[in-house]
């Protein structure tokens, strides 16, 4: 690719084919994505998630998190809550919706390693990267997009809320 084309992502050579050109190719729709749909903030269905601390919530926005295929979830964490070091097998793209999202990398929780990301930030986390979160300055909501199935494994089994009785 020429340098000018790299800069101009909308160049004619990089724009997706027109509907006429792709009419023969029909991609299979993911479950719930075959018709136009909008989801308003008040329609988000927040639920407890067994792998999170009890006060944190998860909402499946689009897709099936336990199946192969794309999904989008939102995660809401109240101020002061920590998610101890864990990893996900899937690559993830986080978009900060509200609050300040603090994330650090490593197998041990270390507040010195936390990086703060304001609303609108996009954070790319490769699969199997050990990391941790802290709602250090208040509540936050992130939106996560990935290819399922969703996985979450704590580095230390004692930190996993699923192991508490």
């Amino acid at each position: 690719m020429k340098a000018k084309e790299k800069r101009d992502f909308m160049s004619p050579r990089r724009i997706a084919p027109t509907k006429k050109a792709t009419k023969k190719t029909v991609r299979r729709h993911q479950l719930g994505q075959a018709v136009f749909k909008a989801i308003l903030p008040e329609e988000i269905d927040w639920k407890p998630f067994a792998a999170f601390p009890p006060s944190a919530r998860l909402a499946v926005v689009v897709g099936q998190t336990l199946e192969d295929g794309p999904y989008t979830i939102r995660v809401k964490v109240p101020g002061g809550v920590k998610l101890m070091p864990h990893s996900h097998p899937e690559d993830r793209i986080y978009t900060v919706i509200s609050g300040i999202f603090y994330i650090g990398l490593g197998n041990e929780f270390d507040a010195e390693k936390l990086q703060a990301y304001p609303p609108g930030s996009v954070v790319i986390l490769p699969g199997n990267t050990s990391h941790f979160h802290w709602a250090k300055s208040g509540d936050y909501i992130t939106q996560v997009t990935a290819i399922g199935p969703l996985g979450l494994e704590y580095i230390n089994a004692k930190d996993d809320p699923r192991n508490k009785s």
Side-chain angles (χ1 to χ4, degrees), residues 63-74:
Q64 303 293 312
T65 59
L66 300 180
E67 296 178 15
D68 291 337
Y71 68 82
T72 300
I73 59 174
R74 288 199 180 171

